[in-house]
Amino acid sequence: MGCSGCSSGRGCSTVSGGLPGGCKNNGSCGVGGCNKLSVFDWLTNMELPGGSAPFDVVEIRFKNGRKDFFRNNLNLPAAVGDVMAVEASPGHDIGIVSLTGELVRLQLKKKGLENTTEFKKIYRVAKQADIDKWQEAQALENKTMSRARTIALALGLQMKISDVEFQGDKTKAIFYYTADERVDFRELIKKYAEEFRVRIEMKQIGARQEASRLGGIGSCGRELCCSTWLTDFRSVATSAARYQQLSLNPLKLAGQCGKLKCCLNYELDSYLDAIKDFPDVNNIKLRTEKGDAVHQKTDIFRRLMWFSYMDNLGHFIPMSVDSVKEIIAQNKAGNIPVDLGEILEKKAKQQEKVLDYENVVGQDSLTRFDNSKKKRKGGNNNNRRSDTNKVESKVVDGKPLEGKDGKEGKPVEPNRVNNNRRRPQPRQNNNNPNRNKPNQPGGGPRRQGPPRP
């Protein structure tokens, strides 16, 4: 019952194995089904204090778009997803319980309603006969809407029938329509009453309400907010797009309803807080000796502002907010900087070294292991050889001098190489028993190397 309006088109009809065929949540859905405007009851596992009676007001949903509150005077057991027969005018209606318990009390407070308000009553838990009649009424809705549109066009009325909702007992039908101007539908109601043999109620809705009832996929790739969780439609102004530095393109800013997207209001407060520290440059020009610079665009979260000179509007110069404030203060004091680049160079010198990816964690380089391999392959010997042959010298009277700091020593020849270093000797095996025997392999007297210098 709870998934009669599933967006998957299959509802929770069981498949092989007894598992749901729509959302495939294996029967453990926490919101009573995959319906529109479902609410998760996060207080369902919490017990009330001793002696406290459960809240007697229940929220009931009708055709995935309309909700209302009803008084449970008979203390009937009501859980999310149960089908109830409730009071209507006239007759009774069939709806699905969407919320119970203390969360309903919070919903009443949010909507500005008191517990003492006269709510309609819950008659009973729907019987099988009530459910069968309710399902027959739902099956007539699409056929009725098509016929109603044909009659409205025949009468020449400037209106659009967007949806039809039958009451659970098939005694009344609500026709939802949209129109730009006032419509005289007195003759239309007579035609509808003769055609459908039910009580007719006409209800005008806006473009946003129409989109929420029809549903669809937004430009973000997800289902429309108004058809899934959004219940109140707040006005959206074009200033919301300006504050967020968005181009005023109607094709990109308009939603399925043709109005500005509701999501433009979601991050507006964050942008307003971030832009408070920015200077107002709508009527301000940065005066320099090179010329006046005008504002072109702004990156709010990177705190950058782009300016360009009047004679070269195609060249954008990025500047930080602090630099812009400094130039504005100098212009008010009567000081005119030479160029915007002068301010940028000054700021660059004052800034400290920015840690990059290599030393941000205190390490020299990510390739330090590669450098150690090169050193093990002979880099240390080469370094020692180069240090030994290195000669520090200074030129005195046009002749290079040898010695530390060039203070003392004799002139050095240009191509002189220091060869007075000890040559490496072959390794001797002192444990060879035949080292003193000339006729044996490895024997003979031990070779003596040249004396140490």
Side-chain angles (χ1 to χ4, degrees), residues 249-301:
N249 188 351
L251 296 178
K252 294 184 178 180
L253 298 182
Q256 180 173 312
C257 57
K259 307 293 184 180
L260 292 176
K261 295 180 180 178
C262 297
C263 55
L264 291 176
N265 284 339
Y266 295 168
E267 298 179 355
L268 180 59
D269 294 338
S270 300
Y271 278 90
L272 291 177
D273 293 339
I275 207 173
K276 287 181 179 178
D277 192 36
F278 282 64
D280 186 10
V281 293
N282 292 329
N283 299 321
I284 296 179
K285 296 181 181 180
L286 302 183
R287 293 180 298 168
T288 63
E289 295 181 1
K290 187 177 179 180
D292 295 344
V294 294
H295 176 257
Q296 295 291 348
K297 64 177 183 176
T298 302
D299 190 336
I300 296 177
F301 293 104

Side-chain angles (χ1 to χ4, degrees), residues 184-185 201 214 282 301:
D184 185 7
F185 44 74
E201 179 180 348
L214 298 179
N282 292 329
F301 293 104

Side-chain angles (χ1 to χ4, degrees), residues 286-317:
L286 302 183
R287 293 180 298 168
T288 63
E289 295 181 1
K290 187 177 179 180
D292 295 344
V294 294
H295 176 257
Q296 295 291 348
K297 64 177 183 176
T298 302
D299 190 336
I300 296 177
F301 293 104
R302 291 176 61 189
R303 295 179 59 83
L304 290 178
M305 305 176 70
W306 278 264
F307 288 84
S308 61
Y309 288 105
M310 297 293 295
D311 56 351
N312 190 8
L313 296 177
H315 178 61
F316 289 8
I317 303 175

Side-chain angles (χ1 to χ4, degrees), residues 81-289:
D82 291 346
V83 183
M84 295 288 182
V86 298
E87 180 183 358
S89 57
H92 69 274
D93 201 355
I94 305 296
I96 301 173
V97 177
S98 60
L99 198 61
T100 60
E102 294 301 315
L103 280 185
V104 181
R105 191 193 304 271
L106 297 178
Q107 287 289 87
L108 293 178
K109 184 177 180 180
K110 178 181 178 181
K111 296 181 180 298
L113 301 176
E114 299 292 338
N115 190 20
T116 56
T117 306
E118 289 294 332
F119 296 108
K120 295 180 180 180
K121 301 177 182 179
I122 296 179
Y123 286 155
R124 60 184 179 273
V125 178
K127 302 178 182 178
Q128 186 61 40
D130 298 329
I131 296 175
D132 294 340
K133 197 171 186 179
W134 175 46
Q135 291 178 346
E136 292 176 2
Q138 287 181 335
L140 295 174
E141 290 177 352
N142 290 334
K143 185 192 303 182
T144 303
M145 184 173 61
S146 299
R147 179 60 182 162
R149 288 178 176 177
T150 303
I151 296 175
L153 289 175
L155 295 176
L157 299 178
Q158 300 297 323
M159 60 183 297
K160 175 185 176 183
I161 305 296
S162 61
D163 197 9
V164 177
E165 180 182 357
F166 270 89
Q167 194 168 282
D169 56 357
K170 295 176 62 176
T171 60
K172 187 177 75 171
I174 303 175
F175 291 81
Y176 297 93
Y177 72 95
T178 57
D180 296 333
E181 300 178 356
R182 186 179 180 275
V183 180
D184 185 7
F185 44 74
R186 289 176 293 183
E187 184 67 23
L188 180 66
I189 293 178
K190 294 180 182 179
K191 294 286 185 180
Y192 284 173
E194 295 175 359
E195 180 75 21
F196 305 119
R197 302 291 180 179
V198 293
R199 184 183 180 91
I200 305 299
E201 179 180 348
M202 304 296 295
K203 183 175 292 186
Q204 185 175 3
I205 59 176
R208 298 182 187 274
Q209 288 80 4
E210 181 184 12
S212 67
R213 300 186 70 87
L214 298 179
I217 304 298
S219 59
C220 59
R222 303 185 64 179
E223 197 170 354
L224 297 179
C225 297
C226 56
S227 63
T228 52
W229 62 272
L230 190 62
T231 57
D232 54 339
F233 301 97
R234 300 181 181 180
S235 60
V236 184
T238 55
S239 59
R242 292 192 182 97
Y243 283 126
Q244 300 178 49
Q245 307 298 319
L246 299 175
S247 61
L248 300 181
N249 188 351
L251 296 178
K252 294 184 178 180
L253 298 182
Q256 180 173 312
C257 57
K259 307 293 184 180
L260 292 176
K261 295 180 180 178
C262 297
C263 55
L264 291 176
N265 284 339
Y266 295 168
E267 298 179 355
L268 180 59
D269 294 338
S270 300
Y271 278 90
L272 291 177
D273 293 339
I275 207 173
K276 287 181 179 178
D277 192 36
F278 282 64
D280 186 10
V281 293
N282 292 329
N283 299 321
I284 296 179
K285 296 181 181 180
L286 302 183
R287 293 180 298 168
T288 63
E289 295 181 1

Side-chain angles (χ1 to χ4, degrees), residues 393-401 405-407 411:
S393 62
K394 286 187 176 181
V395 178
V396 178
D397 297 334
K399 298 180 180 180
L401 296 180
D405 297 333
K407 294 182 180 179

